[in-house]
Amino acid sequence: MTTGRLLGSGRSADVYEIDEAWVLRRDREGWGDAAAEGEVMTYVRSHGYPAPRVRPSTSRTDLVMERLSGPTMLGALLEGSLAPAEAGTEIARLLRQLHAIPARDTAAPASRVLHLDLHPDNVILTPAGPRVIDWSNTENGAPGLDWAMSAVILAQVAVSDTETVAPARTMLTALLADPTPLTPETLKEARTRRAANPTMTPRETELLGEAEDLIRTLAF
């Protein structure tokens, strides 16, 4: 597909303008499956979940999706228009809403759609409410793993040496404030998966042990 103006780039994908209503997200690394990702997004949207609209696709690299307006949750945090505790509570709400959707796999009715990368940079705050993007890691499975992945991502920032340490810790505390399905086993699996993520920097990998310790202090 012919691309228009480059609108933004992430660790593994670029987003291009198509028109005022649609954008093209192109995976430049070739790790994902855009067609399968689009099917999951369509499924959760059919159950009222705030994922962007997508066009049907057979491509592994190109996903045409609804063009969204508004800052990411991370952008709103950095500019001071969103409080960290509110952000953590909203991530928790979005996880609970996702895991309330019936299983796609009828042979495993206890499993749920998992996002596995739900953090403030993957939530866009549109005028109509939050929209969850980047479903490239999605799987069916136990909700506790989804909570653990979000917690690990926030905890890595909370134990780093950046200026966002305090807000990240507040978000993590709010995320884990109520009883969650996170378990020691799902936390261990989340750390293993995070360590194997090819987009991680060496420094981010080094922080995983301290991040896991922080989560255990807050959650168990």
Side-chain angles (χ1 to χ4, degrees), residues 20 47 52 107 125 145 148 150 163 173-174 185 187 198 203 215-216:
E20 292 184 357
H47 288 273
L125 303 179
L145 179 58
S150 291
E163 62 183 16
T173 302
E185 293 74 25
L187 178 56
R203 177 56 180 158
I215 295 168
R216 289 183 181 276

Side-chain angles (χ1 to χ4, degrees), residues 12 25-27 29-41 57-63 104 134-138:
S12 63
R25 197 208 64 201
R26 173 162 290 165
D27 178 6
E29 303 294 342
W31 295 322
D33 185 340
E37 183 180 351
E39 289 177 3
V40 173
M41 294 169 72
S57 170
T58 58
S59 172
R60 291 190 62 86
T61 59
D62 291 0
L63 181 66
R104 292 183 76 209
D134 195 353
W135 294 76
S136 57
N137 294 333
T138 184

Side-chain angles (χ1 to χ4, degrees), residues 2-14:
T2 302
T3 61
R5 178 169 59 97
L6 178 67
L7 297 176
S9 295
R11 294 196 185 198
S12 63
D14 302 307

Side-chain angles (χ1 to χ4, degrees), residues 15-52:
V15 178
Y16 298 91
E17 181 180 52
I18 293 178
D19 55 33
E20 292 184 357
W22 299 95
V23 296
L24 169 69
R25 197 208 64 201
R26 173 162 290 165
D27 178 6
R28 62 176 179 274
E29 303 294 342
W31 295 322
D33 185 340
E37 183 180 351
E39 289 177 3
V40 173
M41 294 169 72
T42 299
Y43 178 78
V44 299
R45 269 187 59 84
S46 73
H47 288 273
Y49 195 75

